mmCIF file with all atom_site columns, all heavy atoms in Angstrom:
data_model
loop_
_atom_site.group_PDB
_atom_site.id
_atom_site.type_symbol
_atom_site.label_atom_id
_atom_site.label_alt_id
_atom_site.label_comp_id
_atom_site.label_asym_id
_atom_site.label_entity_id
_atom_site.label_seq_id
_atom_site.pdbx_PDB_ins_code
_atom_site.Cartn_x
_atom_site.Cartn_y
_atom_site.Cartn_z
_atom_site.occupancy
_atom_site.B_iso_or_equiv
_atom_site.pdbx_formal_charge
_atom_site.auth_seq_id
_atom_site.auth_comp_id
_atom_site.auth_asym_id
_atom_site.auth_atom_id
_atom_site.pdbx_PDB_model_num
ATOM 1   N N   . LEU A 1 180 ? -30.947 -16.752 -52.026 1.00 0.00 ? 449 LEU A N   1
ATOM 2   C CA  . LEU A 1 180 ? -31.954 -17.760 -51.705 1.00 0.00 ? 449 LEU A CA  1
ATOM 3   C C   . LEU A 1 180 ? -32.695 -18.227 -52.941 1.00 0.00 ? 449 LEU A C   1
ATOM 4   O O   . LEU A 1 180 ? -33.095 -19.387 -53.017 1.00 0.00 ? 449 LEU A O   1
ATOM 5   C CB  . LEU A 1 180 ? -32.956 -17.166 -50.716 1.00 0.00 ? 449 LEU A CB  1
ATOM 6   C CG  . LEU A 1 180 ? -32.651 -17.340 -49.244 1.00 0.00 ? 449 LEU A CG  1
ATOM 7   C CD1 . LEU A 1 180 ? -33.811 -16.877 -48.417 1.00 0.00 ? 449 LEU A CD1 1
ATOM 8   C CD2 . LEU A 1 180 ? -32.347 -18.795 -48.944 1.00 0.00 ? 449 LEU A CD2 1
ATOM 9   N N   . GLU A 1 181 ? -32.878 -17.333 -53.912 1.00 0.00 ? 450 GLU A N   1
ATOM 10  C CA  . GLU A 1 181 ? -33.682 -17.709 -55.069 1.00 0.00 ? 450 GLU A CA  1
ATOM 11  C C   . GLU A 1 181 ? -33.037 -18.876 -55.826 1.00 0.00 ? 450 GLU A C   1
ATOM 12  O O   . GLU A 1 181 ? -33.744 -19.661 -56.468 1.00 0.00 ? 450 GLU A O   1
ATOM 13  C CB  . GLU A 1 181 ? -33.900 -16.501 -55.993 1.00 0.00 ? 450 GLU A CB  1
ATOM 14  C CG  . GLU A 1 181 ? -32.655 -15.874 -56.566 1.00 0.00 ? 450 GLU A CG  1
ATOM 15  C CD  . GLU A 1 181 ? -31.972 -14.937 -55.576 1.00 0.00 ? 450 GLU A CD  1
ATOM 16  O OE1 . GLU A 1 181 ? -32.470 -14.797 -54.438 1.00 0.00 ? 450 GLU A OE1 1
ATOM 17  O OE2 . GLU A 1 181 ? -30.918 -14.362 -55.918 1.00 0.00 ? 450 GLU A OE2 1
ATOM 18  N N   . ASN A 1 182 ? -31.720 -19.046 -55.724 1.00 0.00 ? 451 ASN A N   1
ATOM 19  C CA  . ASN A 1 182 ? -31.071 -20.159 -56.419 1.00 0.00 ? 451 ASN A CA  1
ATOM 20  C C   . ASN A 1 182 ? -31.205 -21.462 -55.649 1.00 0.00 ? 451 ASN A C   1
ATOM 21  O O   . ASN A 1 182 ? -31.329 -22.527 -56.232 1.00 0.00 ? 451 ASN A O   1
ATOM 22  C CB  . ASN A 1 182 ? -29.577 -19.863 -56.592 1.00 0.00 ? 451 ASN A CB  1
ATOM 23  C CG  . ASN A 1 182 ? -29.363 -18.609 -57.394 1.00 0.00 ? 451 ASN A CG  1
ATOM 24  O OD1 . ASN A 1 182 ? -30.283 -18.152 -58.077 1.00 0.00 ? 451 ASN A OD1 1
ATOM 25  N ND2 . ASN A 1 182 ? -28.175 -18.043 -57.298 1.00 0.00 ? 451 ASN A ND2 1
ATOM 26  N N   . THR A 1 183 ? -31.139 -21.362 -54.337 1.00 0.00 ? 452 THR A N   1
ATOM 27  C CA  . THR A 1 183 ? -31.063 -22.582 -53.546 1.00 0.00 ? 452 THR A CA  1
ATOM 28  C C   . THR A 1 183 ? -32.405 -23.009 -52.992 1.00 0.00 ? 452 THR A C   1
ATOM 29  O O   . THR A 1 183 ? -32.533 -24.108 -52.467 1.00 0.00 ? 452 THR A O   1
ATOM 30  C CB  . THR A 1 183 ? -30.095 -22.376 -52.369 1.00 0.00 ? 452 THR A CB  1
ATOM 31  O OG1 . THR A 1 183 ? -30.424 -21.140 -51.739 1.00 0.00 ? 452 THR A OG1 1
ATOM 32  C CG2 . THR A 1 183 ? -28.672 -22.334 -52.851 1.00 0.00 ? 452 THR A CG2 1
ATOM 33  N N   . TYR A 1 184 ? -33.396 -22.127 -53.098 1.00 0.00 ? 453 TYR A N   1
ATOM 34  C CA  . TYR A 1 184 ? -34.677 -22.393 -52.464 1.00 0.00 ? 453 TYR A CA  1
ATOM 35  C C   . TYR A 1 184 ? -35.259 -23.724 -52.907 1.00 0.00 ? 453 TYR A C   1
ATOM 36  O O   . TYR A 1 184 ? -35.625 -24.567 -52.088 1.00 0.00 ? 453 TYR A O   1
ATOM 37  C CB  . TYR A 1 184 ? -35.644 -21.248 -52.802 1.00 0.00 ? 453 TYR A CB  1
ATOM 38  C CG  . TYR A 1 184 ? -37.044 -21.472 -52.298 1.00 0.00 ? 453 TYR A CG  1
ATOM 39  C CD1 . TYR A 1 184 ? -37.338 -21.276 -50.953 1.00 0.00 ? 453 TYR A CD1 1
ATOM 40  C CD2 . TYR A 1 184 ? -38.044 -21.885 -53.150 1.00 0.00 ? 453 TYR A CD2 1
ATOM 41  C CE1 . TYR A 1 184 ? -38.607 -21.493 -50.487 1.00 0.00 ? 453 TYR A CE1 1
ATOM 42  C CE2 . TYR A 1 184 ? -39.324 -22.104 -52.689 1.00 0.00 ? 453 TYR A CE2 1
ATOM 43  C CZ  . TYR A 1 184 ? -39.607 -21.901 -51.372 1.00 0.00 ? 453 TYR A CZ  1
ATOM 44  O OH  . TYR A 1 184 ? -40.861 -22.110 -50.881 1.00 0.00 ? 453 TYR A OH  1
ATOM 45  N N   . ARG A 1 185 ? -35.314 -23.958 -54.221 1.00 0.00 ? 454 ARG A N   1
ATOM 46  C CA  . ARG A 1 185 ? -35.981 -25.151 -54.734 1.00 0.00 ? 454 ARG A CA  1
ATOM 47  C C   . ARG A 1 185 ? -35.266 -26.401 -54.262 1.00 0.00 ? 454 ARG A C   1
ATOM 48  O O   . ARG A 1 185 ? -35.890 -27.430 -53.995 1.00 0.00 ? 454 ARG A O   1
ATOM 49  C CB  . ARG A 1 185 ? -36.016 -25.126 -56.260 1.00 0.00 ? 454 ARG A CB  1
ATOM 50  C CG  . ARG A 1 185 ? -36.899 -24.039 -56.810 1.00 0.00 ? 454 ARG A CG  1
ATOM 51  C CD  . ARG A 1 185 ? -36.863 -24.034 -58.309 1.00 0.00 ? 454 ARG A CD  1
ATOM 52  N NE  . ARG A 1 185 ? -37.409 -25.244 -58.884 1.00 0.00 ? 454 ARG A NE  1
ATOM 53  C CZ  . ARG A 1 185 ? -38.715 -25.454 -59.049 1.00 0.00 ? 454 ARG A CZ  1
ATOM 54  N NH1 . ARG A 1 185 ? -39.588 -24.542 -58.690 1.00 0.00 ? 454 ARG A NH1 1
ATOM 55  N NH2 . ARG A 1 185 ? -39.148 -26.585 -59.575 1.00 0.00 ? 454 ARG A NH2 1
ATOM 56  N N   . ARG A 1 186 ? -33.971 -26.308 -54.135 1.00 0.00 ? 455 ARG A N   1
ATOM 57  C CA  . ARG A 1 186 ? -33.235 -27.521 -53.805 1.00 0.00 ? 455 ARG A CA  1
ATOM 58  C C   . ARG A 1 186 ? -33.377 -27.898 -52.324 1.00 0.00 ? 455 ARG A C   1
ATOM 59  O O   . ARG A 1 186 ? -33.608 -29.039 -51.980 1.00 0.00 ? 455 ARG A O   1
ATOM 60  C CB  . ARG A 1 186 ? -31.758 -27.311 -54.148 1.00 0.00 ? 455 ARG A CB  1
ATOM 61  C CG  . ARG A 1 186 ? -31.164 -28.479 -54.885 1.00 0.00 ? 455 ARG A CG  1
ATOM 62  C CD  . ARG A 1 186 ? -29.741 -28.180 -55.290 1.00 0.00 ? 455 ARG A CD  1
ATOM 63  N NE  . ARG A 1 186 ? -29.680 -27.149 -56.337 1.00 0.00 ? 455 ARG A NE  1
ATOM 64  C CZ  . ARG A 1 186 ? -28.556 -26.484 -56.609 1.00 0.00 ? 455 ARG A CZ  1
ATOM 65  N NH1 . ARG A 1 186 ? -27.465 -26.705 -55.922 1.00 0.00 ? 455 ARG A NH1 1
ATOM 66  N NH2 . ARG A 1 186 ? -28.547 -25.572 -57.560 1.00 0.00 ? 455 ARG A NH2 1
ATOM 67  N N   . TYR A 1 187 ? -33.240 -26.939 -51.438 1.00 0.00 ? 456 TYR A N   1
ATOM 68  C CA  . TYR A 1 187 ? -33.110 -27.298 -50.017 1.00 0.00 ? 456 TYR A CA  1
ATOM 69  C C   . TYR A 1 187 ? -34.271 -26.885 -49.132 1.00 0.00 ? 456 TYR A C   1
ATOM 70  O O   . TYR A 1 187 ? -34.413 -27.420 -48.033 1.00 0.00 ? 456 TYR A O   1
ATOM 71  C CB  . TYR A 1 187 ? -31.837 -26.660 -49.429 1.00 0.00 ? 456 TYR A CB  1
ATOM 72  C CG  . TYR A 1 187 ? -30.580 -26.973 -50.177 1.00 0.00 ? 456 TYR A CG  1
ATOM 73  C CD1 . TYR A 1 187 ? -29.853 -25.982 -50.796 1.00 0.00 ? 456 TYR A CD1 1
ATOM 74  C CD2 . TYR A 1 187 ? -30.112 -28.294 -50.253 1.00 0.00 ? 456 TYR A CD2 1
ATOM 75  C CE1 . TYR A 1 187 ? -28.697 -26.270 -51.493 1.00 0.00 ? 456 TYR A CE1 1
ATOM 76  C CE2 . TYR A 1 187 ? -28.957 -28.586 -50.953 1.00 0.00 ? 456 TYR A CE2 1
ATOM 77  C CZ  . TYR A 1 187 ? -28.249 -27.578 -51.569 1.00 0.00 ? 456 TYR A CZ  1
ATOM 78  O OH  . TYR A 1 187 ? -27.103 -27.862 -52.239 1.00 0.00 ? 456 TYR A OH  1
ATOM 79  N N   . ALA A 1 188 ? -35.089 -25.956 -49.590 1.00 0.00 ? 457 ALA A N   1
ATOM 80  C CA  . ALA A 1 188 ? -36.052 -25.372 -48.665 1.00 0.00 ? 457 ALA A CA  1
ATOM 81  C C   . ALA A 1 188 ? -37.016 -26.406 -48.088 1.00 0.00 ? 457 ALA A C   1
ATOM 82  O O   . ALA A 1 188 ? -37.310 -26.408 -46.889 1.00 0.00 ? 457 ALA A O   1
ATOM 83  C CB  . ALA A 1 188 ? -36.816 -24.266 -49.360 1.00 0.00 ? 457 ALA A CB  1
ATOM 84  N N   . GLY A 1 189 ? -37.508 -27.317 -48.949 1.00 0.00 ? 458 GLY A N   1
ATOM 85  C CA  . GLY A 1 189 ? -38.485 -28.285 -48.482 1.00 0.00 ? 458 GLY A CA  1
ATOM 86  C C   . GLY A 1 189 ? -37.914 -29.151 -47.388 1.00 0.00 ? 458 GLY A C   1
ATOM 87  O O   . GLY A 1 189 ? -38.521 -29.346 -46.328 1.00 0.00 ? 458 GLY A O   1
ATOM 88  N N   . LEU A 1 190 ? -36.700 -29.647 -47.616 1.00 0.00 ? 459 LEU A N   1
ATOM 89  C CA  . LEU A 1 190 ? -36.081 -30.531 -46.635 1.00 0.00 ? 459 LEU A CA  1
ATOM 90  C C   . LEU A 1 190 ? -35.831 -29.782 -45.322 1.00 0.00 ? 459 LEU A C   1
ATOM 91  O O   . LEU A 1 190 ? -36.073 -30.310 -44.227 1.00 0.00 ? 459 LEU A O   1
ATOM 92  C CB  . LEU A 1 190 ? -34.768 -31.053 -47.181 1.00 0.00 ? 459 LEU A CB  1
ATOM 93  C CG  . LEU A 1 190 ? -34.925 -32.119 -48.265 1.00 0.00 ? 459 LEU A CG  1
ATOM 94  C CD1 . LEU A 1 190 ? -33.564 -32.523 -48.802 1.00 0.00 ? 459 LEU A CD1 1
ATOM 95  C CD2 . LEU A 1 190 ? -35.659 -33.330 -47.690 1.00 0.00 ? 459 LEU A CD2 1
ATOM 96  N N   . PHE A 1 191 ? -35.347 -28.556 -45.477 1.00 0.00 ? 460 PHE A N   1
ATOM 97  C CA  . PHE A 1 191 ? -35.055 -27.782 -44.269 1.00 0.00 ? 460 PHE A CA  1
ATOM 98  C C   . PHE A 1 191 ? -36.320 -27.554 -43.459 1.00 0.00 ? 460 PHE A C   1
ATOM 99  O O   . PHE A 1 191 ? -36.346 -27.753 -42.233 1.00 0.00 ? 460 PHE A O   1
ATOM 100 C CB  . PHE A 1 191 ? -34.422 -26.449 -44.684 1.00 0.00 ? 460 PHE A CB  1
ATOM 101 C CG  . PHE A 1 191 ? -34.204 -25.508 -43.538 1.00 0.00 ? 460 PHE A CG  1
ATOM 102 C CD1 . PHE A 1 191 ? -33.525 -25.905 -42.411 1.00 0.00 ? 460 PHE A CD1 1
ATOM 103 C CD2 . PHE A 1 191 ? -34.684 -24.203 -43.595 1.00 0.00 ? 460 PHE A CD2 1
ATOM 104 C CE1 . PHE A 1 191 ? -33.325 -25.051 -41.357 1.00 0.00 ? 460 PHE A CE1 1
ATOM 105 C CE2 . PHE A 1 191 ? -34.498 -23.340 -42.546 1.00 0.00 ? 460 PHE A CE2 1
ATOM 106 C CZ  . PHE A 1 191 ? -33.817 -23.761 -41.416 1.00 0.00 ? 460 PHE A CZ  1
ATOM 107 N N   . ALA A 1 192 ? -37.407 -27.195 -44.144 1.00 0.00 ? 461 ALA A N   1
ATOM 108 C CA  . ALA A 1 192 ? -38.665 -26.965 -43.442 1.00 0.00 ? 461 ALA A CA  1
ATOM 109 C C   . ALA A 1 192 ? -39.114 -28.238 -42.752 1.00 0.00 ? 461 ALA A C   1
ATOM 110 O O   . ALA A 1 192 ? -39.556 -28.229 -41.591 1.00 0.00 ? 461 ALA A O   1
ATOM 111 C CB  . ALA A 1 192 ? -39.724 -26.485 -44.419 1.00 0.00 ? 461 ALA A CB  1
ATOM 112 N N   . ALA A 1 193 ? -38.985 -29.363 -43.442 1.00 0.00 ? 462 ALA A N   1
ATOM 113 C CA  . ALA A 1 193 ? -39.411 -30.638 -42.853 1.00 0.00 ? 462 ALA A CA  1
ATOM 114 C C   . ALA A 1 193 ? -38.605 -30.925 -41.602 1.00 0.00 ? 462 ALA A C   1
ATOM 115 O O   . ALA A 1 193 ? -39.155 -31.307 -40.554 1.00 0.00 ? 462 ALA A O   1
ATOM 116 C CB  . ALA A 1 193 ? -39.244 -31.753 -43.872 1.00 0.00 ? 462 ALA A CB  1
ATOM 117 N N   . ALA A 1 194 ? -37.276 -30.716 -41.702 1.00 0.00 ? 463 ALA A N   1
ATOM 118 C CA  . ALA A 1 194 ? -36.429 -30.982 -40.539 1.00 0.00 ? 463 ALA A CA  1
ATOM 119 C C   . ALA A 1 194 ? -36.830 -30.083 -39.376 1.00 0.00 ? 463 ALA A C   1
ATOM 120 O O   . ALA A 1 194 ? -36.967 -30.542 -38.227 1.00 0.00 ? 463 ALA A O   1
ATOM 121 C CB  . ALA A 1 194 ? -34.971 -30.748 -40.906 1.00 0.00 ? 463 ALA A CB  1
ATOM 122 N N   . GLY A 1 195 ? -37.046 -28.837 -39.673 1.00 0.00 ? 464 GLY A N   1
ATOM 123 C CA  . GLY A 1 195 ? -37.422 -27.903 -38.621 1.00 0.00 ? 464 GLY A CA  1
ATOM 124 C C   . GLY A 1 195 ? -38.723 -28.296 -37.959 1.00 0.00 ? 464 GLY A C   1
ATOM 125 O O   . GLY A 1 195 ? -38.824 -28.353 -36.724 1.00 0.00 ? 464 GLY A O   1
ATOM 126 N N   . PHE A 1 196 ? -39.725 -28.592 -38.759 1.00 0.00 ? 465 PHE A N   1
ATOM 127 C CA  . PHE A 1 196 ? -41.019 -28.977 -38.189 1.00 0.00 ? 465 PHE A CA  1
ATOM 128 C C   . PHE A 1 196 ? -40.892 -30.235 -37.352 1.00 0.00 ? 465 PHE A C   1
ATOM 129 O O   . PHE A 1 196 ? -41.493 -30.348 -36.279 1.00 0.00 ? 465 PHE A O   1
ATOM 130 C CB  . PHE A 1 196 ? -42.039 -29.207 -39.314 1.00 0.00 ? 465 PHE A CB  1
ATOM 131 C CG  . PHE A 1 196 ? -42.821 -27.970 -39.654 1.00 0.00 ? 465 PHE A CG  1
ATOM 132 C CD1 . PHE A 1 196 ? -42.363 -27.102 -40.621 1.00 0.00 ? 465 PHE A CD1 1
ATOM 133 C CD2 . PHE A 1 196 ? -44.012 -27.687 -39.005 1.00 0.00 ? 465 PHE A CD2 1
ATOM 134 C CE1 . PHE A 1 196 ? -43.069 -25.971 -40.933 1.00 0.00 ? 465 PHE A CE1 1
ATOM 135 C CE2 . PHE A 1 196 ? -44.726 -26.551 -39.309 1.00 0.00 ? 465 PHE A CE2 1
ATOM 136 C CZ  . PHE A 1 196 ? -44.250 -25.688 -40.283 1.00 0.00 ? 465 PHE A CZ  1
ATOM 137 N N   . THR A 1 197 ? -40.095 -31.185 -37.822 1.00 0.00 ? 466 THR A N   1
ATOM 138 C CA  . THR A 1 197 ? -39.947 -32.426 -37.075 1.00 0.00 ? 466 THR A CA  1
ATOM 139 C C   . THR A 1 197 ? -39.343 -32.148 -35.707 1.00 0.00 ? 466 THR A C   1
ATOM 140 O O   . THR A 1 197 ? -39.838 -32.629 -34.675 1.00 0.00 ? 466 THR A O   1
ATOM 141 C CB  . THR A 1 197 ? -39.027 -33.384 -37.838 1.00 0.00 ? 466 THR A CB  1
ATOM 142 O OG1 . THR A 1 197 ? -39.445 -33.418 -39.181 1.00 0.00 ? 466 THR A OG1 1
ATOM 143 C CG2 . THR A 1 197 ? -39.076 -34.758 -37.234 1.00 0.00 ? 466 THR A CG2 1
ATOM 144 N N   . LEU A 1 198 ? -38.281 -31.377 -35.713 1.00 0.00 ? 467 LEU A N   1
ATOM 145 C CA  . LEU A 1 198 ? -37.627 -31.077 -34.444 1.00 0.00 ? 467 LEU A CA  1
ATOM 146 C C   . LEU A 1 198 ? -38.613 -30.410 -33.479 1.00 0.00 ? 467 LEU A C   1
ATOM 147 O O   . LEU A 1 198 ? -38.694 -30.774 -32.299 1.00 0.00 ? 467 LEU A O   1
ATOM 148 C CB  . LEU A 1 198 ? -36.449 -30.136 -34.676 1.00 0.00 ? 467 LEU A CB  1
ATOM 149 C CG  . LEU A 1 198 ? -35.159 -30.802 -35.125 1.00 0.00 ? 467 LEU A CG  1
ATOM 150 C CD1 . LEU A 1 198 ? -34.124 -29.748 -35.453 1.00 0.00 ? 467 LEU A CD1 1
ATOM 151 C CD2 . LEU A 1 198 ? -34.649 -31.704 -34.020 1.00 0.00 ? 467 LEU A CD2 1
ATOM 152 N N   . LEU A 1 199 ? -39.346 -29.442 -34.003 1.00 0.00 ? 468 LEU A N   1
ATOM 153 C CA  . LEU A 1 199 ? -40.273 -28.717 -33.140 1.00 0.00 ? 468 LEU A CA  1
ATOM 154 C C   . LEU A 1 199 ? -41.317 -29.657 -32.573 1.00 0.00 ? 468 LEU A C   1
ATOM 155 O O   . LEU A 1 199 ? -41.616 -29.649 -31.374 1.00 0.00 ? 468 LEU A O   1
ATOM 156 C CB  . LEU A 1 199 ? -40.937 -27.581 -33.911 1.00 0.00 ? 468 LEU A CB  1
ATOM 157 C CG  . LEU A 1 199 ? -39.999 -26.455 -34.325 1.00 0.00 ? 468 LEU A CG  1
ATOM 158 C CD1 . LEU A 1 199 ? -40.737 -25.423 -35.135 1.00 0.00 ? 468 LEU A CD1 1
ATOM 159 C CD2 . LEU A 1 199 ? -39.388 -25.807 -33.103 1.00 0.00 ? 468 LEU A CD2 1
ATOM 160 N N   . THR A 1 200 ? -41.881 -30.494 -33.441 1.00 0.00 ? 469 THR A N   1
ATOM 161 C CA  . THR A 1 200 ? -42.919 -31.413 -32.976 1.00 0.00 ? 469 THR A CA  1
ATOM 162 C C   . THR A 1 200 ? -42.375 -32.343 -31.902 1.00 0.00 ? 469 THR A C   1
ATOM 163 O O   . THR A 1 200 ? -42.964 -32.528 -30.843 1.00 0.00 ? 469 THR A O   1
ATOM 164 C CB  . THR A 1 200 ? -43.423 -32.281 -34.142 1.00 0.00 ? 469 THR A CB  1
ATOM 165 O OG1 . THR A 1 200 ? -43.475 -31.481 -35.292 1.00 0.00 ? 469 THR A OG1 1
ATOM 166 C CG2 . THR A 1 200 ? -44.776 -32.851 -33.825 1.00 0.00 ? 469 THR A CG2 1
ATOM 167 N N   . ASP A 1 201 ? -41.199 -32.885 -32.216 1.00 0.00 ? 470 ASP A N   1
ATOM 168 C CA  . ASP A 1 201 ? -40.631 -33.869 -31.306 1.00 0.00 ? 470 ASP A CA  1
ATOM 169 C C   . ASP A 1 201 ? -40.357 -33.251 -29.941 1.00 0.00 ? 470 ASP A C   1
ATOM 170 O O   . ASP A 1 201 ? -40.858 -33.711 -28.914 1.00 0.00 ? 470 ASP A O   1
ATOM 171 C CB  . ASP A 1 201 ? -39.344 -34.404 -31.921 1.00 0.00 ? 470 ASP A CB  1
ATOM 172 C CG  . ASP A 1 201 ? -38.707 -35.448 -31.037 1.00 0.00 ? 470 ASP A CG  1
ATOM 173 O OD1 . ASP A 1 201 ? -39.489 -36.186 -30.407 1.00 0.00 ? 470 ASP A OD1 1
ATOM 174 O OD2 . ASP A 1 201 ? -37.477 -35.507 -30.941 1.00 0.00 ? 470 ASP A OD2 1
#
Side-chain angles (χ1 to χ4, degrees):
Chain A
L449 270 188
E450 60 280 1
N451 300 343
T452 48
Y453 175 77
R454 292 178 64 82
R455 226 176 291 163
Y456 306 117
L459 286 177
F460 174 53
F465 268 90
T466 313
L467 278 174
L468 293 177
T469 322
D470 181 35

